[in-house]
Amino acid sequence: MLARLLAAPSPLRNRRGIDIDFPLLAGSLALLGLGLVMITSASSEVAAALSGNPLYHMIRHLIYLTLGLGACLLTLQVPMAFWQRHGARLMLLAFVLLILVLLPGIGREVNGAKRWIGFGMFNVQPSELAKLFTVMFIAGYLVRRQDEVREKLTGFIKPMLVLGPIAVLLLAEPDFGATVVLVGSCIAMLFLGGINLLRFIPLAAAVLAAGVLVMTSQSYRMQRLTNFVDPWADQYGAGYQLSQALIAFGRGEWFGVGLGNSIQKQFYLPEAHTDFVFAVLAEELGMIGALVTVGLFVFVSVRALYIGLWAEKAKQFFSAYVAYGLAFLWIGQVLINIGVNVGLLPTKGLTLPFLSYGGSSLVICCVSLGLLLRIEWERRTQLGGEEVEFVESDFADEEVRP
């Protein structure tokens, strides 16, 4: 099967040679390159102290980046019809992985959270796979049950029966940030799928109420809610991480202190190369560098939404909903991570797409990029439509449309 996929026409193998959406690829590669530079800078002091090698995290990040780009290239070879056919199986795999990570002896606990399954030198984070597979499952559901989604109450109750257990498993890790991003993205997909507004508003209100209930149910979550409002009230205790991040932003001013010259990364700011890499970036590259980075995130996210819109106009509805879902996942993670860094949201461990150190997150971001590039290519070559079958003869007299 793999050999057949590799031999089939794809954005990397067709009459035009390499045929890829360059704007999205360029924006994503710029973020990946910037991420590698910032991980190298932000982690050097910690890596030198813990391993004796200041490039330890950079080398590992480079390995993850290589794996991610390889996964992206492989994803480019796979037709979207494949993901649509196997959406239910992928959803089942996500459930299994989320259950396994909670079992003693399988899941690895870090800082009080069980979010990783260890495979030798590497850890796999099931929540990242779950987000991707859930988007695919919901996209397939919206295609199969389009009339029911638009006309009946059961049309949006049924996907909630799937999202509910997924959310419970994520909260059991606990991973509140991933839960918010995933549920929010899926609700946005349902809205774009045509849910009646009168039904959508109560659904959104119910999800919001459930989120508030979850946030207030645990004392540590309530503490985060109160501390982020005024971190200076306990700047050496619960508000320490945020106050150090704000100091980094203040030191950066307009043009930064220079690449590699951050003071906050020298054991002042915890998780400087993971959750708070944006604060180190703002310190070293200044407000200008931070705004350029935000601009890149806006560009790739909006481009992903446009790819979904173009696919929907071409009647490639599954591809369109997947593109929308992936775009909302990126947007949600960017908003939460940067919001946490600047003190607009309570402190929450959630990686910044393309930039933060983390193997699973980086690889899934690259896979998502591959899916979006594949969707855009299939839309231009008229593959994957309602009445189009994926066969090699389709490319005999290929006509490229703008």
Side-chain angles (χ1 to χ4, degrees):
M1 180 178 178
L2 180 60
R4 188 165 64 250
L5 288 175
L6 294 177
S10 76
L12 302 177
R13 185 187 178 92
N14 59 81
R15 286 178 55 200
R16 298 186 62 189
I18 297 178
D19 184 17
I20 289 178
D21 181 50
F22 180 75
L24 177 62
L25 179 63
S28 301
L29 290 179
L31 286 170
L32 289 171
L34 180 61
L36 179 61
V37 171
M38 292 314 305
I39 293 302
T40 304
S41 174
S43 66
S44 58
E45 300 294 335
V46 174
L50 297 179
S51 68
N53 180 8
L55 300 180
Y56 173 78
H57 288 108
M58 184 274 284
I59 294 171
R60 288 180 65 88
H61 189 78
L62 192 58
I63 293 173
Y64 295 142
L65 181 57
T66 302
L67 292 173
L69 292 176
C72 177
L73 293 175
L74 183 60
T75 304
L76 281 170
Q77 301 290 128
V78 182
M80 293 305 298
F82 172 87
W83 303 110
Q84 185 173 2
R85 284 196 303 270
H86 297 283
R89 295 183 181 90
L90 294 174
M91 191 74 255
L92 180 60
L93 176 61
F95 270 111
V96 172
L97 290 174
L98 289 176
I99 292 172
L100 287 177
V101 77
L102 298 175
L103 298 179
I106 298 179
R108 287 188 176 181
E109 185 171 340
V110 179
N111 296 330
K114 274 191 173 183
R115 301 177 186 173
W116 298 268
I117 297 177
F119 292 94
M121 294 177 57
F122 302 100
N123 293 326
V124 174
Q125 194 169 357
S127 61
E128 295 294 334
L129 289 169
K131 286 187 289 188
L132 177 62
F133 293 162
T134 304
V135 163
M136 291 180 175
F137 177 81
I138 296 296
Y141 173 82
L142 288 172
V143 173
R144 294 190 306 272
R145 305 283 184 175
Q146 192 172 63
D147 292 337
E148 185 178 0
V149 167
R150 294 179 177 181
E151 299 173 5
K152 297 181 180 180
L153 183 65
T154 57
F156 65 83
I157 291 180
K158 288 179 179 178
M160 292 300 107
L161 297 178
V162 176
L163 280 177
I166 287 285
V168 170
L169 291 172
L170 288 173
L171 290 172
E173 294 183 4
D175 195 344
F176 184 68
T179 307
V180 171
V181 170
L182 176 59
V183 173
S185 299
C186 291
I187 288 177
M189 291 173 65
L190 291 170
F191 178 72
L192 293 176
I195 284 184
N196 186 288
L197 190 61
L198 295 178
R199 298 190 184 102
F200 177 78
I201 292 176
L203 168 65
V207 172
L208 181 61
V212 172
L213 180 63
V214 170
M215 284 190 294
T216 56
S217 63
Q218 297 290 336
S219 59
Y220 77 92
R221 293 194 183 114
M222 281 299 299
Q223 189 178 28
R224 286 180 177 178
L225 283 173
T226 55
N227 286 334
F228 96 96
V229 177
D230 184 15
W232 307 106
D234 188 14
Q235 68 182 84
Y236 297 111
Y240 178 79
Q241 197 168 25
L242 178 54
S243 62
Q244 295 302 315
L246 294 176
I247 291 172
F249 280 96
R251 291 193 74 251
E253 298 185 351
W254 283 102
F255 300 101
V257 298
L259 187 62
N261 294 328
S262 168
I263 297 298
Q264 294 306 106
K265 70 180 182 182
Q266 298 179 13
F267 304 99
Y268 291 101
L269 178 60
E271 309 296 340
H273 60 295
T274 54
D275 301 338
F276 283 84
V277 67
F278 188 74
V280 177
L281 182 149
E283 182 183 4
E284 296 190 347
L285 304 183
M287 179 65 72
I288 300 301
L291 289 177
V292 169
T293 303
V294 172
L296 284 171
F297 278 121
V298 171
F299 174 76
V300 298
S301 299
V302 171
R303 187 74 179 180
L305 289 173
Y306 267 105
I307 288 173
L309 177 62
W310 296 332
E312 188 172 4
K313 288 182 176 180
K315 299 187 182 301
Q316 298 173 357
F317 295 111
F318 174 77
S319 296
Y321 294 135
V322 169
Y324 290 144
L326 296 177
F328 286 125
L329 286 179
W330 286 357
I331 292 169
Q333 288 189 223
V334 170
L335 289 176
I336 291 177
N337 183 278
I338 294 180
V340 166
N341 273 250
V342 301
L344 293 177
L345 294 172
T347 302
K348 185 71 199 77
L350 198 65
T351 56
L352 189 59
F354 298 108
L355 249 68
S356 293
Y357 177 82
S360 297
S361 174
L362 187 62
V363 171
I364 294 301
C365 278
C366 291
V367 170
S368 301
L369 172 62
L371 287 168
L372 289 167
L373 293 174
R374 177 80 194 195
I375 290 169
E376 194 276 338
W377 177 77
E378 287 193 5
R379 189 273 309 179
R380 280 189 291 110
T381 54
Q382 297 300 304
L383 291 176
E386 286 182 319
E387 300 177 356
V388 178
E389 302 237 349
F390 184 86
V391 292
E392 194 165 355
S393 60
D394 289 333
F395 292 82
D397 296 308
E398 182 182 20
E399 177 183 352
V400 178
R401 303 188 181 184

